[in-house]
């Protein structure tokens, strides 16, 4: 574990300027996975050079794939084909990255070698049965700890069989895990999701010319296809942009434009929620880049108002709730989130950790089993803990914009898992962070 970093945020200020935030984490992971299994050389631009995406990149290097970069967001992957991966010498360490572990558990169930997946303390306490159980239905053999957590020991040389799986939870990681396993299974594998979740796997498989059929909530794949190398331009991550969308909404006199942001409709819940709260957001230069919609987003200050967050938006904004809770603290009246139990099993228990931190800053926030009820409050200064969760650290940094005293945030080193440039860009826009 890297050295502990504490952020101190000086209260107040505005955010102004134009920035580009780093590449989309979900797409960066998938570009490495599919590029590695492709035939030919895949060139990626806009790759997220952060710990989570690097965990995936290093795993494929350890399985014999030659990968150049990342250098200024450029990665060159010399694909080895669907059956070209080699047994790694040691367990693959996925660090803090749930996406790496859950997607790879599907992909690696179809390989000819045994492999073990490990992670950091947070990742090794997250639920993995959501992937190991459906994979077992396909004939995969994965040993977990007694409580269903990692390390995961995946047996190779199993002939997987296609199944139809009705997902009990709306999870893009589970869906993607099953589709990647389906690339190695006899017959058809199909997955039905209870609510729309991010569809980057399906889109990127198509980009690599691998057929995936979509029929409403069901995606279907089989082992007949092959992946053909392609070029991938990864747009900026809307989940990273979200911190500044909220920051510029709540800080007076703010005007921020974030360039080249991915606005895939399975990811834009944060825009919809902020607009329902009365935020002043404009999408400019909407365009399509390599099968993914992209826009520049301009956001100016506004007085937000409290809402009941529509439950159907929850999976579409699943990573943005820590900072949306900060927006809620600044919004007139009451904001209520329900149907978001999944937040309890993210990098930290994001319901409890955010409620505790907001309470410590004097905000009237009440955790519920599946969400939170927040009343508009003056944010005070004080001391909070990120519990090694990158998005908690960044959310409380944004809270500083409307606080009336300095906020000290402990354990901020994990900002590096998704957004190493956060501090620099926040500083450039006008947030005063010191450490
Ligand atoms: C992700 C899916 C989401 C999200 C995570 C990235 C992905 O997880 O929270 O940060 O890239 O597929 P769930 O599928 O568990 O909701």
């Amino acid at each position: 574990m890297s050295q502990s970093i504490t952020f101190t945020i000086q209260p107040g200020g505005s955010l102004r300027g134009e920035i580009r935030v780093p590449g989309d984490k979900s797409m960066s992971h998938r570009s490495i996975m599919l590029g590695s299994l492709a035939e030919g050389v895949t060139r990626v631009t806009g790759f997220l050079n952060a710990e989570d995406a690097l965990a995936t990149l290093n795993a494929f290097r350890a399985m014999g794939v030659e990968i150049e970069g990342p250098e200024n967001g450029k990665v060159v992957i010399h694909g080895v084909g669907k059956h070209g991966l080699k047994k790694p010498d040691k367990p693959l360490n996925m660090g803090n990255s749930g996406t790496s572990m859950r997607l790879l558990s599907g992909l690696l169930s179809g390989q000819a070698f045994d492999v073990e997946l490990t992670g950091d303390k947070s990742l090794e306490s997250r639920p993995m049965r959501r992937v190991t159980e459906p994979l077992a239905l396909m004939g995969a053999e994965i040993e977990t700890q007694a409580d269903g957590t990692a390390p995961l020991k995946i047996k190779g040389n199993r002939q997987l069989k296609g199944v139809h799986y009705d997902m009990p939870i709306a999870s893009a990681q589970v869906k993607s895990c099953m589709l990647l396993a389906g690339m190695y299974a006899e017959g058809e594998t199909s997955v039905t999701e209870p609510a729309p979740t991010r569809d980057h796997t399906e889109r990127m498989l198509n980009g690599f010319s691998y057929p995936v059929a979509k029929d409403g909530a069901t995606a279907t794949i089989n082992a007949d296809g092959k992946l053909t190398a392609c070029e991938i331009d990864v747009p900026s991550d809307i989940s990273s942009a979200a911190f500044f969308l909220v920051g510029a909404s709540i800080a007076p006199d703010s005007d921020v434009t974030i360039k080249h942001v991915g606005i895939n409709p399975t990811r834009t819940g944060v825009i919809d929620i902020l607009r329902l709260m009365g935020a002043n957001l404009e999408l400019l230069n909407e365009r399509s880049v390599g099968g993914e919609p992209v826009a520049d987003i301009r956001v100016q200050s506004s007085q937000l108002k409290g809402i009941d967050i529509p439950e159907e938006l929850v999976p579409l904004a699943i990573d943005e709730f820590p900072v949306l809770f900060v927006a809620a603290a600044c919004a007139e009246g009451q904001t209520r989130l329900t149907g978001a139990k999944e937040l309890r099993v993210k990098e930290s228990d994001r319901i409890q950790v955010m409620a505790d931190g907001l309470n410590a800053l004097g905000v009237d926030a009440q955790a519920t089993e599946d969400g939170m009820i927040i009343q508009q409050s003056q944010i005070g200064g004080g001391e909070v803990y990120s519990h090694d969760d990158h998005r908690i650290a960044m959310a409380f940094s944004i809270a500083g914009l409307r606080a009336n005293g300095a906020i000290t945030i402990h354990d901020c080193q994990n900002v590096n898992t998704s957004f190493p440039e956060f501090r620099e860009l926040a500083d450039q826009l006008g947030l005063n962070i010191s450490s």
Side-chain angles (χ1 to χ4, degrees), residues 69-149:
E71 218 185 294
N72 294 325
K74 291 198 172 60
V75 176
V76 179
I77 309 161
H78 297 262
V80 295
K82 240 169 93 179
H83 299 282
L85 296 178
K86 295 202 176 69
K87 181 177 168 60
D89 296 338
K90 44 180 204 232
L92 299 175
N93 187 345
M94 307 285 101
N96 193 243
S97 175
T99 307
S100 308
M101 184 167 282
R102 297 205 178 108
L103 269 59
L104 280 186
S105 61
L107 195 160
L108 295 174
S109 290
Q111 307 302 318
F113 49 82
D114 296 353
V115 57
E116 182 174 349
L117 303 182
T118 62
D120 70 7
K121 206 167 104 231
S122 151
L123 183 55
E124 290 196 352
S125 64
R126 294 179 66 185
M128 291 298 148
R129 286 201 183 110
R130 57 181 60 199
V131 288
T132 58
E133 285 178 357
L135 288 171
L137 300 174
M138 298 178 76
E141 203 181 314
I142 305 180
E143 196 183 302
T144 66
Q145 304 309 293
D147 59 354
T149 57

Side-chain angles (χ1 to χ4, degrees), residues 45 65 86 92-93 109 116 140 148 191 193 231 266 272 321-322 331 370 376 389:
T45 51
V65 183
K86 295 202 176 69
L92 299 175
N93 187 345
S109 290
E116 182 174 349
V191 227
E193 51 188 4
E231 311 242 312
T266 60
D272 300 335
F321 286 103
D370 67 344
Q376 182 179 30
D389 183 334

Side-chain angles (χ1 to χ4, degrees), residues 55-237:
T56 294
L57 186 151
N58 287 329
F60 281 88
R61 272 194 185 136
M63 291 188 285
V65 183
E66 191 193 332
I67 304 175
E68 298 168 55
E71 218 185 294
N72 294 325
K74 291 198 172 60
V75 176
V76 179
I77 309 161
H78 297 262
V80 295
K82 240 169 93 179
H83 299 282
L85 296 178
K86 295 202 176 69
K87 181 177 168 60
D89 296 338
K90 44 180 204 232
L92 299 175
N93 187 345
M94 307 285 101
N96 193 243
S97 175
T99 307
S100 308
M101 184 167 282
R102 297 205 178 108
L103 269 59
L104 280 186
S105 61
L107 195 160
L108 295 174
S109 290
Q111 307 302 318
F113 49 82
D114 296 353
V115 57
E116 182 174 349
L117 303 182
T118 62
D120 70 7
K121 206 167 104 231
S122 151
L123 183 55
E124 290 196 352
S125 64
R126 294 179 66 185
M128 291 298 148
R129 286 201 183 110
R130 57 181 60 199
V131 288
T132 58
E133 285 178 357
L135 288 171
L137 300 174
M138 298 178 76
E141 203 181 314
I142 305 180
E143 196 183 302
T144 66
Q145 304 309 293
D147 59 354
T149 57
L152 303 180
K153 287 187 178 153
I154 304 174
K155 277 260 175 265
N157 275 321
R158 310 276 308 169
Q159 178 51 63
L160 302 183
K161 290 197 175 47
V163 292
H164 172 71
Y165 187 60
D166 264 310
M167 286 170 21
I169 41 174
S171 163
Q173 293 179 351
V174 176
K175 171 176 66 174
S176 303
C177 163
M178 293 298 280
L179 292 175
L180 294 173
M183 286 172 42
Y184 295 91
E186 238 170 53
E188 263 182 9
T189 300
S190 58
V191 227
T192 302
E193 51 188 4
T197 68
R198 66 191 70 194
D199 62 358
H200 304 300
T201 302
E202 298 92 304
R203 285 179 191 244
M204 207 180 280
L205 279 165
N206 282 326
F208 278 92
S209 311
Y210 200 102
V212 194
K214 271 281 224 192
D215 180 10
T218 303
T220 305
I221 198 167
N222 64 44
D224 296 340
K226 70 171 186 160
L227 295 152
T228 305
C230 61
E231 311 242 312
I232 299 175
D233 178 357
V234 179
S236 294
D237 199 327

